[in-house]
Amino acid sequence: MTSATNKIISKYPSPKIVLVGWYGAGNLGDELLLSTMIREVHSRGMEPIIVSLDPTYTTNYHCVQSIDFEDLDALQLAIDGAYACVLGGGGLFQTYSPFEYSSLFEFSLGDVASYARPVLLAQQLGVPTALLAQGVGPLDTSAAQGIVALLFSGASCVSVRDVASRDLLNAIGVERDITVAPDPSWAWEMPELPQPSRAQSHMKIVLVVRDWSFVSGWEDRLLSALRQTFDPAVHELVWVPFQARNVPERSSSDTDLLHRLMTGLGDYWNQRLFEWTNIPQAVEMIASADAVIAMRMHAQILALKLNKPTLCLEYDEKMTQVSIQAEVPLQRRLRLTSDQDIWLQAVRSLLVDSSANHVQKENIQRLASSAGAHFALLWETLGMSTGERPPSLTQNGQHLDWLSFWRTWEKTKNITRYPASRIREMDFFIGKSSEENKNVEQPKFYNASIAFQIGMRARESNYLELHRAFEQKAQEAEEERNRNQLLEADRARSIELLQTQIARSELLEDQLQQIQSAKLWKLLHWLKIL
């Protein structure tokens, strides 16, 4: 960690709250959530520290201090001095992406389990943890269910953004109070925006779609419905990427998909790509639309807040839950797997101005007023009567020495550089001897019905299994080096033999030329005599 990071983290005398989520990737929904959370933290006279995929972007855009997701030193320093660590909101825990136990022990990004690590670190350091505005699921593996049960059972407070998430948590053994409230973005303060004043002879249709490889053929069904519904002379199609930035090796933009869809629709259509650089720009574009086709949950929320005719492409349960909460008419809700005729009916409904197609303003106001429950829970749990950090409300962080695991991983991630003999010389392993720990009863985690046993055996036996794994890896690397050396020696011998054969061939060729020259000289001499 750089000295600059130390200065940034220690700059503010006010209490700090560490915010962890899919921040810095340039996803408008997550940046909208972060903007809401930053405003809420500031309203309490506190300073947020953001754990970001791109700290430079986060600091420049939100004017807050931020640290890199993989900077363990900065993360430890920030959390150890924080009032609390807050994970969320967002649909972070799902099995659309890899979600394995092993990622808890390797401090690098790339797995859903990486979101768990700051929370586990905070619990180990005795810092209160809050899991706020979570969208949970699907959780199709036992590993995902175990990790989620571990986190949600051990947090100081938990809130989710829909009933389906709460029911899933209950089903995997999370037995605790869980607050259910609409997504915090419903409470985002909407600026005063001009409404479109165009005549029906010109209409702007904003489309916010995302890549989704889990359903085949939906892109073709969308394009077919657009061709059969809209008129290039009347309707302008504006494609808006809600995931607008590429962060190398961390996140990718929606723009490639949108370019592909625009090409598939054809040059004949009046269409363009709108790439936003800040949240108000994107909101203003949606506000200027006559209708919106939304395949991003926060595009769905913004369009409904702005009272726009909105077709909700419910690719995931989270969008279905928003539609249910807002009471979106069935004709404005569409599953990606629907038949082409249903797609066509749903898209055409955007052109029908009927009260049956409208979402009631009372529903939107109700959701906006209820969305603050997430923050009310946080402040109530932390007890905001003093500026001092409250005592930890969980004692679950002490079961495993996560920092030791991660420090060990940092030291050994390049272990192939070392022979087996070096492993024993390195100070990787700490703790009591295996004899002293032999009779230690394995603790149960958080009283959850799903036992979380990962790492306990290694801990109780002085990390011997971890040691053996590293040693085996080093031995395999050493054997591989030996094989490479033998292959190199064989290659060198082969080259030497080939060079010898070439030299012999050249020598034989010279001798043959000499013989031929001698014969030719004799022939010429014989002809001269004749």
Side-chain angles (χ1 to χ4, degrees), residues 12 397 423:
Y12 295 94
I423 298 298

Side-chain angles (χ1 to χ4, degrees), residues 198 202-206 234-238 272 284-285 288-292:
R198 294 177 295 275
H202 179 81
M203 295 181 65
K204 180 190 292 185
I205 312 298
V206 167
V234 176
H235 302 107
E236 178 190 17
L237 305 182
V238 182
R272 62 188 172 98
E284 189 171 334
M285 173 54 70
S288 70
D290 294 284
V292 177

Side-chain angles (χ1 to χ4, degrees), residues 241-513:
F242 256 44
Q243 179 70 49
R245 299 180 63 242
N246 286 311
V247 181
E249 300 182 2
R250 295 190 173 185
S251 70
S252 56
S253 170
D254 291 336
T255 53
D256 288 343
L257 166 68
L258 301 189
H259 281 304
R260 185 169 72 243
L261 291 173
M262 292 172 69
T263 301
L265 195 59
D267 296 336
Y268 175 70
W269 290 84
N270 179 16
Q271 58 179 335
R272 62 188 172 98
L273 182 71
F274 177 78
E275 296 186 84
W276 54 275
T277 58
N278 56 61
I279 296 172
Q281 282 182 350
V283 174
E284 189 171 334
M285 173 54 70
I286 294 175
S288 70
D290 294 284
V292 177
I293 297 177
M295 194 181 162
R296 289 275 190 183
M297 190 192 80
H298 289 99
Q300 176 189 22
I301 291 174
L302 288 174
L304 293 174
K305 278 175 65 70
L306 289 164
N307 196 32
K308 298 297 174 181
T310 305
L311 175 58
C312 306
L313 304 185
E314 298 174 1
Y315 75 96
D316 183 70
E317 180 64 23
K318 61 186 178 182
M319 290 194 66
T320 300
Q321 290 296 314
V322 169
S323 294
I324 293 172
Q325 291 171 347
E327 300 181 20
V328 176
L330 289 176
Q331 56 269 30
R332 293 279 175 84
R333 296 172 55 187
L334 184 65
R335 295 280 187 177
L336 297 190
T337 53
S338 298
D339 294 337
Q340 185 64 61
D341 290 343
I342 299 177
W343 271 83
L344 182 58
Q345 293 174 16
V347 174
R348 284 180 173 174
S349 74
L350 293 173
L351 302 182
V352 179
D353 187 11
S354 168
S355 59
N357 290 336
H358 292 170
V359 174
Q360 300 300 316
K361 289 185 178 180
E362 293 79 7
N363 295 340
I364 305 304
Q365 293 170 354
R366 169 178 51 81
L367 292 171
S369 62
S370 302
H374 301 286
F375 300 116
L377 172 67
L378 174 64
W379 305 131
E380 178 184 357
T381 302
L382 296 180
M384 298 301 295
S385 58
T386 67
E388 299 179 358
R389 189 176 76 184
S392 174
L393 302 180
T394 175
Q395 52 185 350
N396 302 318
Q398 303 304 319
H399 285 305
L400 278 178
D401 185 356
W402 294 102
L403 271 175
S404 294
F405 274 113
W406 298 327
R407 296 297 182 197
T408 300
W409 177 83
E410 282 193 327
K411 290 182 179 180
T412 58
K413 58 185 175 183
N414 294 320
I415 194 140
T416 53
R417 298 179 182 178
Y418 303 108
S421 59
R422 282 293 313 281
I423 298 298
R424 296 183 182 87
E425 299 173 8
M426 293 182 171
D427 186 23
F428 293 156
F429 310 105
I430 60 175
K432 299 180 179 179
S433 68
S434 56
E435 287 297 321
E436 293 174 341
N437 280 328
K438 186 166 57 178
N439 298 321
V440 174
E441 181 181 358
Q442 190 174 41
K444 295 180 180 179
F445 281 85
Y446 317 137
N447 298 318
S449 60
I450 297 178
F452 185 83
Q453 302 176 1
I454 290 298
M456 291 307 301
R457 190 175 176 189
R459 171 181 177 267
E460 292 165 2
S461 58
N462 195 22
Y463 297 160
L464 287 179
E465 289 194 4
L466 194 60
H467 182 285
R468 293 191 189 101
F470 291 150
E471 186 176 48
Q472 180 180 357
K473 186 176 180 181
Q475 287 175 341
E476 291 174 354
E478 195 169 18
E479 291 172 359
E480 182 67 22
R481 282 194 295 269
N482 291 336
R483 285 195 294 270
N484 290 336
Q485 290 175 357
L486 290 174
L487 289 173
E488 183 66 23
D490 289 342
R491 189 175 71 87
R493 285 194 294 271
S494 298
I495 292 174
E496 183 180 357
L497 179 61
L498 181 61
Q499 290 174 341
T500 301
Q501 291 175 342
I502 291 173
R504 289 178 178 176
S505 298
E506 291 175 348
L507 179 61
L508 289 174
E509 186 176 356
D510 290 341
Q511 292 175 348
L512 182 60
Q513 289 179 351

Side-chain angles (χ1 to χ4, degrees), residues 43-75:
S43 73
R44 295 284 175 160
M46 309 177 79
E47 290 296 335
I49 301 176
I50 316 304
V51 181
S52 172
L53 301 176
D54 187 344
T56 301
Y57 171 83
T58 299
T59 296
N60 291 340
Y61 183 74
H62 293 283
C63 298
V64 292
Q65 38 185 338
S66 61
I67 57 178
D68 192 275
F69 220 111
E70 294 187 63
D71 191 337
L72 179 55
D73 289 335
L75 189 62

Side-chain angles (χ1 to χ4, degrees), residues 35-145:
S35 173
T36 304
M37 299 187 79
I38 289 173
R39 183 194 65 197
E40 183 69 22
V41 170
H42 280 156
S43 73
R44 295 284 175 160
M46 309 177 79
E47 290 296 335
I49 301 176
I50 316 304
V51 181
S52 172
L53 301 176
D54 187 344
T56 301
Y57 171 83
T58 299
T59 296
N60 291 340
Y61 183 74
H62 293 283
C63 298
V64 292
Q65 38 185 338
S66 61
I67 57 178
D68 192 275
F69 220 111
E70 294 187 63
D71 191 337
L72 179 55
D73 289 335
L75 189 62
Q76 180 184 357
L77 179 61
I79 291 178
D80 198 25
Y83 201 85
C85 177
V86 177
L87 178 63
L92 304 178
F93 295 108
Q94 36 71 28
T95 47
Y96 294 126
S97 302
F99 195 171
E100 300 297 335
Y101 281 133
S102 58
S103 295
L104 292 179
F105 297 90
E106 297 184 1
F107 204 88
S108 62
L109 201 61
D111 190 293
V112 175
S114 61
Y115 294 115
R117 292 195 299 261
V119 177
L120 295 172
L121 175 58
Q123 291 178 352
Q124 180 178 342
L125 296 174
V127 175
T129 55
L131 275 59
L132 292 189
Q134 294 290 316
V136 184
L139 300 175
D140 296 330
T141 67
S142 59
Q145 294 171 9

